[in-house]
Structure formats: structure tokens, C-alpha cells
Amino acid sequence: MRLMSLMSTRRSSTAPSGGAGARRGPLVALGRLAAVPALAVLLAGCGIRATEVPTNFGPAPSRVQCSLAEPDVAAQAARGLPVQVFLLCGSSLVTVDRTVRVPDGAADSERRILVAQGLLDQLATPPSPAEKEAGYSTDVRGGITVGRPRAGDPEDTLRLSTAPDSLTSYALAQIVCTFSDSAAAEGDGSVVLGGPGAESPRRYECTDEVRARPGSTEPPSRDAAGE
């Protein structure tokens, strides 16, 4: 009897108690949870982002190209005088090829006015479907006309039917940069513009800053009276 009692006592002392088994379950669960962030760190180190659910990012967003196919120079020459105008693309000004009609034999002063009017008309023309697709736009509105200089104005003055200071900064930058880079101006990177009123004309310059940020940087100008 004493032997059986000793054996029973020894078995009861070596058998795991219910409390220890219950504690082991949470410890295993905690170990598994601790492995999750460790796995995430390991994946991140390999350049892989861990995720719990499938993701679908869809197609990549389109980007403004601001570029067009090379124009057919011969075809342009057949339609008129090849010129370039500045359109808006993104937040900057970009040149686009156009043509304007100028009668043969026109005097220099008349030719300059005709070129300026043709450039204005081109600036006011909505971009073609291909240009819109590439991200081009214009802020110049139709109906603006170009007149000759008045008495006392510099001979290269272009009088607009809309006062330059009433134009948006984008439209003014487009007109100034387009004119100053064409036969409508003297070719020195500036152009003299006046309005329909009695105000003196001003000489405007197209700078790199204006081309890069036409919405926030207006063309520098100075009074051109007496030039």
C-alpha cells in the first residue's frame, strides 16, 4: 500500500498541471504575433511592402508631354509665313509652329502690323486636338486687333485694341514673348505695346523667368516714350 501510494504521488508530481498548460497557449500566441512585425521588417528590407489585402493600383496616370510631332516645313511654307507662337503647357510657355498670311510686296511697316495681327489671331485660336492631347492651351481671347503707332510713339510701337495691363498675366506673357521673337519686333527680345487710350506705350521684355512662370512673373516693362 505504501508502494502504491508513493508511485501515485510521484506521477502526480511529474504530470503537467492544468494551469501550466493554460499559460503555454497564450505564450505561443504571443510568439506568433511577435513574428508578424518581424516578418514585415524583413520584407521591407527586401524592398517588398507587406499588405494584408489585394490591391489594384490601375493604370499609371498620364503626364503632360508638351511635345508634338515635327511639322512639315514645306507644307507650312505653302500655307504662309512660318512663325512660332507661345502657348501654355503646364505652368510654362512653349513654342508651337504656325503660319500667317502676309501679302507679297508689303512695306516693312505694314508687314510688321500684318505679322503681329496674324500672330494674335493664332494665339487666340483654340489648340488643335493633338495640341490639347499634349497639354497645350491659350489664355489669349479673340477679337484683339493691332494698330499703328501714334504721333510721339516709337516707330516700332504696336497699339492693341485691349490695354496690355488689362490682360491676364498669362495672356500678356504669351503676346510679349510671341511678338518679341518675331518679325513684329526689332528682334532684341522686347516689344513696344500700347493700348487704345492715351497712355504712353511701354517696352516689354520676354525673359527666362517669364517663360518659366508666366502666371506669377509679368514681363518687365518700362516707359517707352521718347525712345
Side-chain angles (χ1 to χ4, degrees):
M1 293 293 292
R2 181 179 298 177
L3 178 61
M4 292 179 63
S5 177
L6 289 173
M7 291 178 64
S8 175
T9 302
R10 186 175 299 173
R11 282 196 302 267
S12 63
S13 63
T14 57
S17 64
R23 286 195 299 272
R24 187 177 302 164
L27 288 175
V28 172
L30 288 174
R32 290 175 180 174
L33 289 175
V36 172
L39 179 60
V41 172
L42 179 61
L43 291 175
C46 297
I48 304 174
R49 184 174 65 181
T51 180
E52 296 181 358
V53 295
T55 57
N56 181 15
F57 294 99
S62 59
R63 295 183 177 180
V64 174
Q65 298 298 321
C66 296
S67 62
L68 296 168
E70 291 295 326
D72 187 340
V73 177
Q76 280 193 341
R79 293 194 298 267
L81 177 68
V83 295
Q84 287 187 324
V85 299
F86 280 85
L87 297 183
L88 299 168
C89 194
S91 60
S92 61
L93 295 179
V94 183
T95 56
V96 175
D97 294 292
R98 292 284 195 270
T99 58
V100 297
R101 289 285 186 181
V102 179
D104 294 334
D108 289 344
S109 58
E110 182 183 2
R111 179 185 179 86
R112 188 166 55 83
I113 298 297
L114 292 173
V115 169
Q117 186 63 62
L119 292 171
L120 263 182
D121 294 341
Q122 289 295 328
L123 286 172
T125 301
S128 67
E131 290 168 346
K132 288 182 179 179
E133 181 69 21
Y136 290 89
S137 64
T138 183
D139 213 45
V140 179
R141 300 295 175 254
I144 303 176
T145 58
V146 183
R148 300 178 181 279
R150 297 176 181 173
D153 289 347
E155 63 179 7
D156 58 342
T157 299
L158 298 171
R159 286 276 181 178
L160 305 181
S161 59
T162 298
D165 59 6
S166 69
L167 298 170
T168 66
S169 59
Y170 289 106
L172 181 60
Q174 284 184 260
I175 293 173
V176 168
C177 289
T178 297
F179 281 178
S180 64
D181 194 39
S182 73
E186 296 297 324
D188 61 351
S190 68
V191 61
V192 180
L193 298 177
E199 296 82 4
S200 298
R202 301 187 66 82
R203 183 173 293 277
Y204 295 85
E205 296 181 21
C206 178
T207 64
D208 292 339
E209 291 76 13
V210 172
R211 287 189 290 268
R213 296 181 294 274
S216 58
T217 305
E218 291 194 355
S221 66
R222 66 177 185 271
D223 194 337
E227 290 187 2

